[in-house]
Amino acid sequence: YAKEFKISIPWTALEKEPTRIELRGVHLVCVPLLTTTATQTFGAGTNLDPRCTFRTRAKRSALARFERNFLSGRIDGEGSSKKEL
């Protein structure tokens, strides 16, 4: 969800001015992993946010999600055998 969503449409100059869409406080933005976007790089270039491609980031996110589910026992027949009573 977003805390604020704002669209600015320049009705008097549609051909000259861009339409602006602003999202503030977004928790998740989905970008289709197309061949044109998969090789684009982004990130701050730090240890916490390394600069990498969308494809690499998507693979890392999927692996991290699988590891969390595996270790918390959310996958049937997988993960730790410890059950909470």
Side-chain angles (χ1 to χ4, degrees), residues 50-64:
R51 193 152 180 80
C52 60
T53 64
F54 277 127
R55 184 184 312 271
T56 302
R57 183 64 59 111
K59 287 179 180 179
R60 286 181 183 170
S61 296
L63 180 59

Side-chain angles (χ1 to χ4, degrees), residues 1-82:
Y1 67 91
K3 290 183 179 181
E4 185 180 342
F5 180 72
K6 189 188 303 184
I7 298 177
S8 301
I9 302 172
W11 294 109
T12 57
L14 287 173
E15 292 84 19
K16 295 179 183 179
E17 296 290 325
T19 299
R20 295 173 191 233
I21 300 173
E22 294 182 41
L23 293 170
R24 293 182 188 264
V26 175
H27 287 253
L28 176 67
V29 175
C30 296
V31 177
L33 195 58
L34 305 172
T35 55
T36 55
T37 60
T39 56
Q40 292 180 358
T41 59
F42 73 102
T46 63
N47 286 341
L48 294 175
D49 187 19
R51 193 152 180 80
C52 60
T53 64
F54 277 127
R55 184 184 312 271
T56 302
R57 183 64 59 111
K59 287 179 180 179
R60 286 181 183 170
S61 296
L63 180 59
R65 185 171 44 254
F66 177 75
E67 287 176 348
R68 279 193 309 272
N69 289 337
F70 178 82
L71 294 174
S72 65
R74 292 185 206 151
I75 301 173
D76 292 335
E78 301 281 342
S80 65
S81 60
K82 184 172 68 174

